[in-house]
Amino acid sequence: MKRLTIISFILLFTFQLQAQEKERTPIGGRPNIKGDLFLDFGFNMLNNRPDELNTRFIASRVVNIYYQTQLPIGANSGFTFNPGIGFGLEKLAFQDNLTLIPDPAKGPNSSQLVPISEIYGENIRVETNTMAINYLDIPIEFRYHANKSDYNSGFRVAIGGKFGFLYNAHSKIGVTDSEGLSQKVKNSQEYGLSPIRYGAYTRLGFPGFNLWAYYGLNALFEEESGPFGTEASQFNFGVSVALF
């Protein structure tokens, strides 16, 4: 799925990149392509969550792949408008070997948090336990560039928001039983997750390297569809590199 997502992203922008006039630069130079292709790395946390929804910090990761074009606002004002599109690929890893499964009491589009041992038996060793949540995102931001004569260099800061559309969610569990039999199971469900997300984010740094943070303004799960009736929302943060 990750490989398919990356390939789809590349194909999505092929026509735009081909349509733009390119000038060759010296080896190691930045291609003369308008806009930025960001590769974000970070961590996924839950705000306003019950204690039972504790997650493992390192295993709850985020990878974003975003292309954003650059539209100047005024001549040499330092301000630009930067709409874009891309993919948000996120993981949640619950503590204490807990995982999400559908909750029949709430309906097919729902979830409850249960021990993995209730599914695969008591005498098991849990080797993998993650939840993937993948979005098609539309980031929109306004940037201020400290270098008003060259927006491709110098410090810059951005504020904006993004809208996301959930296109895939699945759990991935790997266990080994007492007899040494290993299983790796990938289970795609809706899990009561909200089909859209929206929130505010900021990005600051230099053209090649940035710090970023995203604060979700809506709940991760639909009302009364997630475990414990949670209204938890997302908080992501990390670093990013600009591929061009």
Side-chain angles (χ1 to χ4, degrees):
M1 177 59 69
K2 287 185 179 179
R3 183 177 301 174
L4 178 60
T5 299
I6 294 173
I7 292 173
S8 300
F9 178 80
I10 294 172
L11 292 176
L12 184 63
F13 296 108
T14 296
F15 292 111
Q16 177 160 350
L17 298 183
Q18 288 179 343
Q20 293 177 355
E21 181 180 357
K22 305 180 184 69
E23 297 178 4
R24 294 190 176 274
T25 58
I27 295 176
R30 175 187 170 102
N32 187 23
I33 301 174
K34 294 182 179 179
D36 298 280
L37 180 62
F38 288 114
L39 187 59
D40 297 345
F41 302 94
F43 301 97
N44 191 14
M45 302 177 67
L46 296 180
N47 288 319
N48 191 30
R49 53 158 179 77
D51 291 340
E52 293 86 348
L53 280 180
N54 283 340
T55 56
R56 307 192 314 272
F57 178 72
I58 298 298
S60 298
R61 299 185 294 271
V62 176
V63 176
N64 298 323
I65 309 170
Y66 295 152
Y67 172 77
Q68 292 178 259
T69 191
Q70 183 166 283
L71 305 175
I73 302 176
N76 297 323
S77 67
F79 290 96
T80 59
F81 175 57
N82 301 81
I85 192 170
F87 294 101
L89 312 175
E90 306 189 358
K91 287 188 176 180
L92 286 173
F94 297 108
Q95 291 185 357
D96 302 321
N97 291 331
L98 299 174
T99 189
L100 293 179
I101 64 171
D103 187 346
K106 301 174 188 172
N109 183 17
S110 63
S111 61
Q112 58 181 319
L113 195 66
V114 302
I116 293 177
S117 60
E118 288 189 9
I119 305 171
Y120 297 97
E122 294 292 338
N123 298 319
I124 58 170
R125 182 175 70 253
V126 178
E127 298 170 345
T128 303
N129 178 25
T130 58
M131 178 82 189
I133 309 172
N134 300 324
Y135 296 90
L136 173 66
D137 283 335
I138 301 176
I140 300 173
E141 67 182 48
F142 292 91
R143 292 183 196 161
Y144 175 73
H145 304 257
N147 188 342
K148 298 181 181 180
S149 61
D150 183 5
Y151 292 170
N152 290 324
S153 64
F155 181 80
R156 58 191 186 182
V157 60
I159 58 173
K162 69 178 177 182
F163 300 87
F165 303 89
L166 181 70
Y167 70 89
N168 176 264
H170 64 265
S171 63
K172 185 179 291 185
I173 297 175
V175 299
T176 300
D177 65 17
S178 58
E179 298 180 355
L181 177 63
S182 296
Q183 299 183 63
K184 292 184 178 180
V185 180
K186 178 179 175 181
N187 187 7
S188 295
Q189 299 279 345
E190 295 181 345
Y191 295 107
L193 293 163
S194 298
I196 63 171
R197 68 168 174 179
Y198 53 89
Y201 81 95
T202 185
R203 187 188 298 273
L204 60 90
F206 296 86
F209 179 83
N210 296 263
L211 301 176
W212 63 272
Y214 166 78
Y215 186 88
L217 297 177
N218 71 311
L220 177 63
F221 296 91
E222 294 191 280
E223 186 176 2
E224 299 299 328
S225 294
F228 314 110
T230 182
E231 297 180 356
S233 59
Q234 293 175 295
F235 175 65
N236 306 158
F237 65 94
V239 299
S240 69
V241 294
L243 302 183
F244 61 74

